């Protein structure tokens, strides 16, 4: 956040040129009191098509736990989390960004992993190898992937 | 705020499990009646009314395989262990049978393990006890903790207790180990921050993608899994589950997994010993 402010101040000083899109690091995400995040994490609009792809296997794997009617073709959608149909009607974009980034802020007991966080883990592993993680951990999703997922979720209106 | 209230309603509507365990009954070889549902033990009463074997969460085809020893591939491991049972090994020139007689003499052992060993001053699993026999009594090499020979032997010892109720002690000298296991059960490990309880206590009956989540009972171990076509030791399964939370996992035979085995076994006190069971 400090870096972003510095960027803004600098650009003002240098004559009002818009600052380049800057990534908000996981530790600096400006969650509000409720757990929502108003501002983009990447500064680049999300791509709903890539968000849709992330819902399936891979980094997101949201359908392991959530059902979405629009994704039924993938088969064997999970039933642990709430159905995501109509998510865009029930939540604001800021809410969805907060939930994808770190759902435990809004639902402290939730089983949902925190996808944009890098610390506070018990025995963090090196992927799914079972070995200890070494060095600095990357979040489960990049800032842009969070934005892409949020963009996809914002397309889910009740028909 | 209105949107948030609505979303809570959405959560509630989505709550009920879509694929609850079934109501079939399990009789092995037409004669061994298996208790696959039982009242929860006292220490678990606040969590479950009924404890349920993982057998109920599998489809009819998989269930049927376990009901017939000629169909159950896990019995091949039992037969292999029967050969080992009578085989003289080590400097002591003895076999398991030299002291214990027929494997059937071990009926009643499986239900009470893991168990406090007074002389050793520790809680021991069946695998630990087998290796203690091999090294200190037989003068033989220990088997790999969750290797095939050990897992087969645990399956043999389990098989002769099928139908008997699991009854591990959780108090007295075993209590501190049991409590350590309980702490592990409720710890959210790894970068996915998942505890055993997240899936097997809070969400059993639900689907995690194509997998039907059970209560995670271990009365059926060792378990022949169609997925990897072999008998699986319970602590290998624990290791795999913890690995899948994106965690640095624990090794079979570690104090952590021994404690976890005691604790999880105790959650099944009252179910029948089923091993070697068949799962997918």
């Amino acid at each position: 956040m400090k870096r972003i402010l510095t960027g803004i101040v600098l650009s003002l000083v240098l004559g009002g040129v818009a600052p380049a899109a800057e990534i908000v690091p996981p530790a600096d995400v400006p969650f509000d009191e409720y757990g929502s995040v108003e501002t983009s994490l990447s500064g680049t609009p999300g791509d709903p098509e890539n968000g849709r792809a992330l819902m399936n296997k891979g980094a997101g794997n949201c359908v392991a736990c959530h059902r979405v009617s629009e994704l039924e073709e993938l088969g064997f959608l999970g039933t642990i989390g709430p159905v995501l149909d109509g998510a865009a009607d029930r939540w604001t974009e800021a809410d969805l960004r907060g939930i994808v980034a770190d759902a435990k802020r809004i639902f402290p007991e939730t089983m949902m992993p925190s996808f944009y966080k890098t610390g506070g883990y018990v025995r963090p592993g090196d992927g799914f190898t079972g070995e200890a993680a070494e060095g600095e951990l990357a979040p489960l999703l990049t800032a842009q992937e969070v934005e892409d997922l949020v963009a996809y979720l914002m397309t889910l209106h009740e028909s | 705020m209105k949107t948030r209230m609505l979303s809570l309603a959405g959560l509630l509507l989505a709550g009920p499990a879509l694929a609850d365990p079934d109501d079939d009954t399990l009789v092995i070889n037409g004669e061994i009646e298996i208790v696959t549902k039982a009242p929860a033990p006292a220490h678990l009463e606040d969590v479950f009314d009924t404890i349920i074997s993982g057998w109920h969460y599998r489809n009819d085809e998989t269930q049927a395989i376990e009901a017939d020893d000629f169909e159950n591939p896990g019995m091949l491991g039992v037969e292999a262990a029967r050969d080992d049972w009578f085989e003289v090994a080590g400097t002591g020139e003895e076999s398991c049978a030299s002291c214990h007689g027929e494997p059937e003499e071990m009926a009643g052992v499986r239900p009470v393990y893991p168990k406090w060993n007074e002389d050793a001053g520790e809680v021991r699993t069946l695998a630990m006890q087998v290796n203690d026999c091999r090294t200190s009594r037989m003068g033989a090499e220990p088997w790999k903790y969750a290797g095939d020979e050990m897992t087969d032997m645990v399956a043999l010892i389990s098989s002769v207790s099928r139908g008997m109720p699991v009854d591990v002690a959780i108090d007295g000298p075993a209590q501190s180990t049991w409590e350590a296991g309980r702490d592990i059960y409720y710890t959210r490990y790894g970068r996915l921050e998942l505890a055993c309880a997240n899936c097997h206590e809070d969400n059993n009956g639900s689907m995690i993608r194509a997998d039907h989540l059970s209560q995670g009972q271990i009365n059926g171990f060792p378990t022949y899994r169609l997925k990897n076509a072999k008998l699986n030791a319970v602590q290998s399964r624990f290791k795999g589950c913890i690995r899948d939370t994106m965690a640095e996992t624990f090794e079979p035979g570690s104090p952590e997994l021994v404690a976890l085995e005691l604790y999880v076994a105790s959650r099944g006190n009252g179910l029948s010993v089923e091993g070697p069971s068949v799962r997918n």
Side-chain angles (χ1 to χ4, degrees), chain A residues 81-106:
Chain A
V83 177
L84 298 179
D85 291 349
D89 302 323
R90 296 193 297 275
W91 302 99
T92 66
E93 183 185 304
D95 292 340
L96 290 170
R97 184 178 290 113
I99 293 171
V100 173
D102 188 359
K104 296 175 189 79
R105 305 249 176 181
I106 297 181

Side-chain angles (χ1 to χ4, degrees), chain B residues 102-119:
Chain B
E102 294 292 314
E104 283 69 19
E105 297 291 317
M106 303 301 277
V109 172
R110 176 70 192 142
V112 297
Y113 270 83
K115 182 185 175 189
W116 176 257
N117 182 306
E118 189 62 43
D119 292 338

Side-chain angles (χ1 to χ4, degrees), chain B residues 21-34:
Chain B
D22 70 11
D23 288 320
D24 295 343
T25 55
L26 174 58
V27 180
I28 295 174
N29 301 333
E31 60 181 19
I32 309 172
E33 292 184 17
I34 302 292

Side-chain angles (χ1 to χ4, degrees), chain B residues 211-263:
Chain B
D211 289 333
H212 195 187
L213 291 174
S214 72
Q215 286 185 357
Q217 296 289 354
I218 61 172
N219 58 306
F221 277 88
T223 289
Y224 186 89
R225 296 190 75 193
L226 303 175
K227 186 175 181 174
N228 62 6
K230 59 178 269 193
L231 268 177
N232 294 265
V234 64
Q235 292 193 17
S236 299
R237 192 74 189 90
F238 289 161
K239 178 185 176 181
C241 262
I242 297 171
R243 177 200 64 214
D244 289 346
T245 70
M246 263 200 206
E248 176 189 4
T249 191
F250 298 105
E251 288 304 315
S254 63
E256 290 86 357
L257 293 191
V258 170
L260 185 61
E261 182 176 339
L262 172 62
Y263 176 69

